């Protein structure tokens, strides 16, 4: 049975509710770094990437160059291209180039996971329905958090502002506990970050480039130490 637009809306509700709370924390953080609530809202309405947006506003606040910001976003969000390539194999004939471009705007980790878990091929009705509620939740949470950030006392703003980092820990820790490659890559990235932060000379590296160095170095070591065997090699083994 082909999934409909209504099915997409229904499947997107839990994602949208989750995004509401995370975006609330992003809104508070954006205001704390000097953005106006409407500016924070515009960022979330045109970008749906928690890690990318958090890094982006930090670089904006630090006065980083456009090149640094572009390279940082490319490094952080490159995974979306890989997810889109994978999901494109499940799309039916209704998903032409324009429809794929529209859906790619909101093809987040959670939306990809839900889409990839469905049986059969997926059409534009289901995929468009799936992305609407998360986009609304992300945008609504941002403006609510940004407005709250202008009204709440500094103590509450600081406490709520760290919630988004808690989300990243919640994403990282479960797989890190079960998979050694994840533990090694995450630990290595954290160590490199500490070295770049506190080593004289290296501490002057702009934060955007530091993010790129951590990501590239840790992932390269992970690829060398824990290569994923080809399908044929796995069968032979």
């Amino acid at each position: 049975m082909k999934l409909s637009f209504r099915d997409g809306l229904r499947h997107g509700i839990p994602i949208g509710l989750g995004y509401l709370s995370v975006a609330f924390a992003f809104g508070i953080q954006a205001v704390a770094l000097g953005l106006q609530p409407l500016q924070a809202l515009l960022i979330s309405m045109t970008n749906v990437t928690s890690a990318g947006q958090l890094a982006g506003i930090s670089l904006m606040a630090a006065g980083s160059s456009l090149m640094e910001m572009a390279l940082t976003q490319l490094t952080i969000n490159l995974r979306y291209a890989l997810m889109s390539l994978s999901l494109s194999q499940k799309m039916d004939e209704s998903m032409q180039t324009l429809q794929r471009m529209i859906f790619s705007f909101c093809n987040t980790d959670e939306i990809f996971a839900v889409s990839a878990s469905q049986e059969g091929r997926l059409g534009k009705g289901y995929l468009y329905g799936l992305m609407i509620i998360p986009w609304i939740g992300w945008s609504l949470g941002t403006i609510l958090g940004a407005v709250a950030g202008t009204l709440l006392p500094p103590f509450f703003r600081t406490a709520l502002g760290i919630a988004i980092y808690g989300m990243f820990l919640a994403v990282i820790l479960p797989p890190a506990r079960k998979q050694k490659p994840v533990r090694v890559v995450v630990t290595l990235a954290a160590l490199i970050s500490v070295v770049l932060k506190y080593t004289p000379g290296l501490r002057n590296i702009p934060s955007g480039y530091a993010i790129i160095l951590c990501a590239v170095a840790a992932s390269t070591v992970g690829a060398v130490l824990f290569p994923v065997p080809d399908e044929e090699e796995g069968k032979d083994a």
Side-chain angles (χ1 to χ4, degrees):
M1 181 177 179
K2 188 173 182 179
L3 294 170
S4 65
F5 179 81
R6 180 176 296 182
D7 293 323
L9 288 176
R10 179 166 51 85
H11 292 172
I13 290 175
I15 301 175
L17 293 176
Y19 283 0
L20 187 68
S21 59
V22 176
F24 188 90
F26 168 76
I28 290 180
Q29 185 74 2
V31 170
L33 290 175
L35 274 70
Q36 297 297 318
L38 290 180
Q39 292 174 322
L41 174 62
L42 182 60
I43 290 175
S44 283
M45 291 181 68
T46 55
N47 301 268
V48 189
T49 164
S50 55
Q53 289 182 213
L54 185 62
I57 61 174
S58 300
L59 294 175
M60 291 168 62
S64 302
S65 66
L66 293 177
M67 179 60 70
E68 182 180 347
M69 293 183 65
L71 291 175
T72 302
Q73 294 302 313
L74 176 64
T75 303
I76 293 175
N77 297 321
L78 186 60
R79 69 187 189 280
Y80 292 132
L82 302 178
M83 292 190 299
S84 294
L85 286 172
S86 174
L87 192 57
S88 67
Q89 308 305 309
K90 289 181 63 69
M91 295 178 178
D92 65 17
E93 63 280 356
S94 68
M95 293 295 289
Q96 300 299 317
T97 301
L98 177 60
Q99 288 74 30
R100 290 174 184 238
M101 292 175 64
I102 294 173
F103 177 72
S104 67
F105 164 71
C106 207
N107 183 24
T108 62
D109 303 74
E110 294 78 13
I111 290 177
F112 167 76
V114 171
S115 302
S117 66
Q118 305 304 318
E119 296 183 1
R121 301 181 71 82
L122 305 175
K124 65 179 182 181
Y126 174 77
L127 294 174
Y128 285 177
L130 181 61
M131 65 184 280
I132 288 177
I133 302 299
W135 180 79
I136 293 175
W138 186 251
S139 302
L140 180 60
T142 297
I143 190 61
L144 292 176
V147 172
T150 64
L151 301 176
L152 294 175
F155 172 79
F156 288 101
R157 291 202 303 266
T158 302
L160 292 173
I162 65 174
I164 196 166
Y165 299 102
M167 181 208 70
F168 293 142
L169 290 176
V171 171
I172 292 172
L173 291 181
R177 293 177 59 185
K178 298 178 181 179
Q179 303 176 38
K180 181 179 179 180
V182 177
R183 288 198 301 272
V184 172
V185 171
V186 170
T187 302
L188 181 59
L191 291 175
I192 296 174
S193 179
V194 171
V195 171
L196 294 178
K197 177 68 175 181
Y198 295 103
T199 302
L202 295 180
R203 68 177 62 172
N204 296 325
I205 296 176
S207 58
Y209 293 119
I211 293 174
I212 296 172
L213 288 173
C214 291
V216 173
S219 58
T220 300
V221 172
V224 172
L225 295 179
F226 309 102
V228 178
D230 293 336
E231 185 175 353
E232 292 300 323
E233 293 178 358
K235 290 180 180 180
D236 293 339

